[in-house]
Amino acid sequence: MCGIIGYIGERQVLPILLEGLRRLEYRGYDSAGVVFLEDGKINVIKVKGRVFDLEEKIFSNVPQKPEAPGLGHTRWATHGEPSDENAHPHLDCKGNLAIVHNGIIENYYELKKELLKKGHKFKSATDTEVIVHLIEDYVNAGLELKSAFFSALKRLKGAYAIALISNENPEFIIVARNQSPIVIGIGEKENFMASDIPALLPFTKDVLFLNDGEVGILYKDRVEIFDLEGKEIKKNPVVISWDLASAEKGGFAHFMLKEIYDQPEAVKHTLLGKIDLDRQEIDFSKEGLNKEFFKNIEKIFIVACGTSYHAGLVAKYIIERNLKIPVEVDLASEFRYRAPIINSKTLFIAVSQSGETADTLAGLRLAKQFGAKILSICNVLGSTIARESDVVLYTQAGPEISVASTKAFVTQVLIFILLSFYLKRLFYNENESKEKIEALIKLPHILEKFTEEVHSRVKKLAEKWRHIGNCLYLGRDILYPIALEGALKLKEISYIHAEGYAAGEMKHGPIALIEENFPTVILSAKETGVIYEKTLSNAEEVKSRRGPIIAFVSENSEEFKKITEDFVEIPLTFYELLPIFYVIPLQLFAYEMAVLRGCDVDKPRNLAKSVTVE
């Protein structure tokens, strides 16, 4: 749950470390630090607070000769409160070794007791510091540094992305990975490492991904990769197609707003290559999805967390409607603890923006043990979930920097729509109508126009309702998951308490909350048929109790206009596309509410972008 950047080469080390840390701020953190060499000694500067605070501390006491190798780190506390002492990097007793770490060492307490008995002195309350003292202990026993590093890794239990430098071995950085991501950047007579791609984009697009149980040794002129037994592994670099500009705000006030406006382009990239324009068909055959892959599948599990879970709920409506196959959608943190019934006739679909979500990955591995086929939907090329799946469908959303997910959700939903249409043709020989295919082809252009038009309307709503303390979101059928997602967005970035409910459940408890200063956001679409009328009845129940209503409804929904304080019209579309059109104004509403309330939109309190620990 942190960011790591490392550099070895001839350039000035501090500007590279600080630039990398700035590009990792989206991950969420409470402290930051750097380590580098100066006159042959380890120099550590760290602080509780933001990267800005770290820069101030550095520039108030400018190092005279900062040299590579160097490491930078942003920490999100798991063991030990946020403080200068608990911030990374951490040193061994002699100050010869410095380490940064992302993850959780589950057996750190036992290791710490052992090391304390041997005389090691600890300066923090973190689990991370155990690692550097353990390595030091092996060095004290006579092992050279690389061997000591390998020996220490074999003692560790848990998740880790580790990077280590030594003033006695300044010719390399040594890194290791288990269940937490590490990306190595390849340069010309210089090399980099980071916990995520955006930190490397200013310097290189050629990268290597470490797998679990692999160790990388970065020299200025080469990179060597080994397994835990010391056997060398050959890898070819992957070229990242994202450019630096795509990780910048592009003139928008916040990354979140930029990413909302990026959604038409993200949809366009996700559609590329998925539609055979000549035959007007969806095609996933080149991704390895054929009849053989789906042979004997009798049940589908969709497992995800947070916003990706809501995309999975949308998928349940679409898949069961089109394919007549049972779908269960699980929160990944609950899935493997409820003894799910999985076998070789099960299709497990993992959904994760980062491809590194710890709970989702654990569920995937459980499903694999029971013989399920694994399909993943993610956004990051070469991520762990992608590598451990039988088939991967990439969303092509590009980097998502804001903690609150927007374009990742829309493109995940789009992948599920395309997948259901493809499987419908594959198994039932039923092509979707030309009208639906045309709607998909035109979707990027329509969304671009719709986003611009609806934003001004939603901004006025936010100005009116900015002072509310609570809010209820209601939706039915395929719009129920969108009610959940809308409520999640509002509470995670504006800190307004909001709950999403199936509208038909309102009478079973939530209706007790309705009063004059408690607004209800109602989602309703004529495309849902009889559900539209039933949702109107739910709205009438709110109105009869003097509850104010903000309605997001199909255009020309005169029945709703008569009973609502405010409404936003959504253009008519096909059933499957409803979630995409309805979620955009809810994203904008949450964004504008957060801005008006002075919240840190891109880095909401207590949250992290990529949850890589349980």
Side-chain angles (χ1 to χ4, degrees):
M1 298 282 285
C2 64
I4 299 173
I5 179 72
Y7 173 73
I8 186 165
E10 300 297 335
R11 285 201 248 180
Q12 290 289 316
V13 65
L14 281 175
I16 291 172
L17 298 182
L18 291 171
E19 178 69 12
L21 291 181
R22 281 192 289 268
R23 296 187 181 281
L24 292 171
E25 286 190 281
Y26 68 92
R27 293 173 69 90
Y29 67 103
D30 50 55
S31 59
V34 293
V35 59
F36 49 90
L37 298 186
E38 188 171 15
D39 291 328
K41 296 181 179 180
I42 294 281
N43 190 347
V44 172
I45 303 174
K46 55 185 182 177
V47 63
K48 175 186 174 183
R50 298 289 190 182
V51 173
F52 173 80
D53 302 307
L54 175 65
E55 290 178 291
E56 284 199 331
K57 190 169 183 178
I58 291 171
F59 295 128
S60 65
N61 186 19
V62 180
Q64 297 302 306
K65 296 179 181 179
E67 301 171 353
L71 303 171
H73 189 275
T74 53
R75 175 180 186 255
W76 190 79
T78 56
H79 293 74
E81 65 182 18
S83 68
D84 287 1
E85 293 77 15
N86 290 332
H88 297 210
H90 292 290
L91 302 179
D92 67 339
C93 295
K94 299 174 184 175
N96 293 330
L97 304 174
I99 198 167
V100 295
H101 162 234
N102 179 14
I104 290 177
I105 303 303
E106 295 175 356
N107 62 333
Y108 88 99
Y109 184 67
E110 293 82 1
L111 292 171
K112 187 172 184 177
K113 285 197 299 182
E114 173 188 322
L115 291 164
L116 285 170
K117 287 181 180 179
K118 293 183 176 182
H120 289 268
K121 305 295 183 183
F122 286 77
K123 297 180 180 179
S124 77
T126 68
D127 55 332
T128 297
E129 194 179 356
V130 166
I131 306 170
V132 72
H133 285 287
L134 185 60
I135 295 168
E136 178 189 27
D137 201 58
Y138 281 110
V139 171
N140 291 343
L143 294 182
E144 55 92 22
L145 182 57
K146 294 176 188 176
S147 298
F149 189 85
F150 278 85
S151 297
L153 290 182
K154 294 175 182 178
R155 298 283 309 280
L156 302 180
K157 295 179 182 178
Y160 57 75
I162 299 169
L164 176 82
I165 65 170
S166 165
N167 64 338
E168 295 182 343
N169 298 95
E171 69 275 13
F172 61 80
I173 298 173
I174 187 166
V175 301
R177 175 225 161 99
N178 186 54
Q179 299 180 41
S180 289
I182 283 185
V183 187
I184 296 172
I186 309 299
E188 184 68 31
K189 295 184 179 179
E190 60 181 0
N191 288 301
F192 311 80
M193 61 79 53
S195 52
D196 208 350
I197 292 168
L200 302 179
L201 289 180
F203 314 113
T204 182
K205 292 184 180 180
D206 297 328
V207 303
L208 298 170
F209 294 96
L210 284 193
N211 292 322
D212 286 350
E214 291 183 348
V215 175
I217 303 178
L218 285 66
Y219 301 87
K220 293 178 183 179
D221 59 351
R222 68 188 189 281
V223 173
E224 298 172 351
I225 297 176
F226 303 89
D227 64 20
L228 289 180
E229 302 306 317
K231 181 180 178 182
E232 189 166 5
I233 299 168
K234 297 297 183 183
K235 288 178 181 276
N236 294 318
V238 174
V239 179
I240 298 300
S241 59
W242 301 347
D243 59 20
L244 187 56
S246 66
E248 298 290 350
K249 292 179 184 176
F252 290 94
H254 299 92
F255 279 113
M256 182 179 178
L257 185 60
K258 175 187 180 295
E259 287 159 7
I260 291 172
Y261 273 82
D262 277 349
Q263 288 176 135
E265 190 70 15
V267 165
K268 182 192 299 182
H269 284 294
T270 300
L271 288 170
L272 284 174
K274 309 294 193 310
I275 301 178
D276 186 318
L277 297 177
D278 293 330
R279 293 184 295 176
Q280 295 278 289
E281 293 176 347
I282 310 300
D283 186 13
F284 278 112
S285 58
K286 60 182 174 298
E287 280 82 6
L289 291 181
N290 49 40
K291 283 189 176 182
E292 183 61 30
F293 181 80
F294 293 99
K295 187 178 180 181
N296 299 323
I297 295 298
E298 296 179 352
K299 187 176 185 179
I300 297 173
F301 280 103
I302 300 175
V303 175
C305 301
T307 287
S308 295
Y309 169 72
H310 297 156
L313 290 174
V314 170
K316 176 180 174 68
Y317 286 95
I318 294 172
I319 292 172
E320 290 187 340
R321 180 186 181 104
N322 283 285
L323 303 178
K324 314 303 181 188
I325 184 170
V327 177
E328 286 193 36
V329 186
D330 276 80
L331 290 164
S333 55
E334 294 293 324
F335 175 72
R336 62 195 173 110
Y337 297 108
R338 69 169 183 84
I341 301 170
I342 309 168
N343 54 40
S344 60
K345 296 181 179 180
T346 302
L347 173 63
F348 179 97
I349 303 180
V351 191
S352 168
Q353 188 280 138
S354 67
E356 303 291 348
T357 311
D359 286 314
T360 307
L361 181 58
L364 181 157
R365 288 169 173 166
L366 176 68
K368 224 172 185 179
Q369 289 176 18
F370 286 98
K373 290 185 176 178
I374 310 296
L375 169 66
S376 68
I377 296 173
C378 70
N379 188 41
V380 180
L381 180 72
S383 60
T384 307
I385 286 175
R387 292 198 306 273
E388 296 195 15
S389 301
D390 298 314
V391 173
V392 187
L393 302 181
Y394 288 107
T395 52
Q396 304 297 336
E400 190 176 65
I401 305 303
S402 179
V403 167
S405 180
T406 52
K407 59 181 179 175
F409 173 78
V410 165
T411 52
Q412 287 167 356
V413 168
L414 180 59
I415 286 288
F416 276 121
I417 294 170
L418 296 171
L419 180 62
S420 67
F421 287 179
Y422 174 66
L423 295 180
K424 189 175 178 181
R425 176 171 64 84
L426 199 64
F427 286 100
Y428 301 112
N429 201 28
E430 292 182 25
N431 283 327
E432 285 304 326
S433 65
K434 288 186 177 181
E435 289 79 9
K436 284 190 179 182
I437 300 297
E438 285 295 329
L440 285 170
I441 295 170
K442 295 177 181 177
L443 186 59
H445 174 71
I446 295 170
L447 287 181
E448 184 176 9
K449 184 179 179 182
F450 172 63
T451 302
E452 292 175 356
E453 291 175 350
V454 80
H455 191 182
S456 59
R457 174 70 177 132
V458 168
K459 193 169 186 177
K460 291 178 182 177
L461 286 184
E463 290 168 354
K464 178 178 178 179
W465 297 100
R466 61 187 291 186
H467 298 298
I468 63 173
N470 300 279
C471 193
L472 183 65
Y473 282 66
L474 298 178
R476 298 186 78 148
D477 196 80
I478 200 169
L479 294 182
Y480 163 51
I482 305 306
L484 295 176
E485 177 62 12
L488 174 62
K489 284 292 161 286
L490 188 67
K491 59 190 165 193
E492 72 179 332
I493 64 168
S494 73
Y495 315 143
I496 295 170
H497 175 246
E499 295 295 333
Y501 259 87
E505 284 291 294
M506 183 183 62
K507 295 186 289 293
H508 297 275
I511 199 169
L513 298 171
I514 303 300
E515 57 183 9
E516 291 182 8
N517 62 350
F518 188 101
T520 299
V521 174
I522 293 183
L523 315 178
S524 189
K526 291 181 178 179
E527 295 89 336
T528 58
V530 68
I531 296 297
Y532 173 83
E533 301 294 337
K534 292 185 178 295
T535 308
L536 178 62
S537 297
N538 297 135
E540 294 278 9
E541 291 170 341
V542 173
K543 186 67 176 178
S544 68
R545 287 155 180 83
R546 298 184 179 181
I549 297 172
I550 307 168
F552 293 81
V553 293
S554 304
E555 57 190 20
N556 301 320
S557 296
E558 300 301 326
E559 307 90 342
F560 274 92
K561 292 179 184 179
K562 293 175 183 177
I563 63 171
T564 60
E565 275 66 28
D566 291 288
F567 64 89
V568 174
E569 289 187 312
I570 311 296
L572 292 169
T573 186
F574 292 101
Y575 174 87
E576 290 84 0
L577 294 180
L578 288 173
I580 294 176
F581 280 92
Y582 276 75
V583 80
I584 290 174
L586 299 186
Q587 294 169 346
L588 288 166
F589 182 62
Y591 169 79
E592 292 296 346
M593 292 285 275
V595 170
L596 289 169
R597 292 164 66 90
C599 301
D600 191 344
V601 174
D602 287 330
K603 296 185 285 290
R605 65 191 183 202
N606 304 329
L607 295 179
K609 180 64 176 176
S610 181
V611 184
T612 56
V613 297
E614 285 193 65

